[in-house]
Amino acid sequence: MNIQYKNLSFTGGGDPTATRLMLGEFEFMEFEVPERVVIPGRQKTVLHQLIGGRRIIDVLGTEYEPLTWSGVITGLQASERVSALERMRDEGRPTVLTLDDYRFTVIITRFTSVYEFIWRRPYSIEVAVVSNDGAPTKVDGLTGALQGLINSDLGRALGLAKIINIDAVTKTVKEVHQAVQQITDFAHATVAQIQSVIRPLIAARNIIQHELALLEAAAEDITSLGGMVPGNPISKAVNNLLMQLNCSTRIPAFYQLQDVLGRLNKNVRTGQTAQGVKAITLAGGDLYRVASEQYGDASLWTSLADANDLADPQLSGVNTIRIPTSPMS
């Protein structure tokens, strides 16, 4: 049997959200993220020894030994986070482990925490691998690369939403996450599938822009450090100082989140383009005729409408129409 070990290392002191270490909806943050995780896998085989020294080896597939890692859960929510992992262990249900490029279905077989302080809980965890969901079923460089970019941006967005810690932002980013999880192959997705992600993405960007404007307006109301203005009560000065500290953390995260969602929007739309979406320019006409000429079916005009953000099949003036290769029937 050939035993293979993969050692996935994380950069110490770097941005922990970039590792995308998640168990279901639980994302490991900061000191919770281990320095490395060893992924031991082997090709299971059966050897048949024949007369004359000839051998036949049956290949049965890859099997994985349990994955283990450890870290330290810290902060005011340490007890709640430990309890969440304990519940997942006790339920014994299969859950998805996302580890950078890896994606496994696992079951938590062991989770142990050490109570040092209410805000500091070292832990260790062991999961049994049910299946490797990231294993490619076919060689497709576009699918793997595009999916990796989208998942990376999605993990970064979830991490930034936790830093911002505003309910509306957290909710809208989770809705984007849920929409993305419904599509397993963006490189070959239909127009309707892409639109099912674009809609919550647009909504998320609008909500984030609104919340950022409110936060910046609140920051502008305080013109001096901590609002240390003669005559101001101490309590008000303290509140102003806390507000400034709050803004100094959240505002940069907001701008980063805007950039990440903008990049995610482009990557989500890339699949159709990369698969050979073409464009035609015409004066007047209608989408019925375009669909008939391009697909041989006039009823597919709705796919053209979705791809071009059009509600009316009748065209006026000069238009450049994108033609997806995978119309929704």
Side-chain angles (χ1 to χ4, degrees), residues 229-284:
V229 177
N232 266 358
I234 293 178
S235 60
K236 183 175 181 180
V238 170
N239 287 335
N240 287 343
L241 181 58
L242 292 176
M243 173 61 75
Q244 283 188 329
L245 292 173
N246 182 42
C247 292
S248 68
T249 300
R250 285 179 169 175
I251 289 177
F254 263 114
Y255 280 108
Q256 292 179 52
L257 183 55
Q258 284 183 324
D259 290 341
V260 169
L261 292 184
R263 188 168 61 244
L264 181 61
N265 180 59
K266 292 179 181 178
N267 287 333
V268 165
R269 296 175 184 268
T270 294
Q272 287 284 330
T273 303
Q275 283 298 303
V277 172
K278 62 180 180 179
I280 61 172
T281 301
L282 66 162

Side-chain angles (χ1 to χ4, degrees), residues 23 26 81-95 106-114 121 123-127:
L23 265 177
F26 186 99
R81 293 178 68 77
V82 167
S83 296
L85 289 170
E86 289 175 339
R87 286 194 299 271
M88 293 172 67
R89 175 201 60 196
D90 296 344
E91 289 172 355
R93 297 177 182 175
T95 188
V106 302
I107 294 176
I108 300 176
T109 54
R110 179 175 60 82
F111 173 76
T112 304
S113 66
V114 179
R121 306 285 292 275
Y123 78 93
S124 62
I125 192 168
E126 177 185 274
V127 298

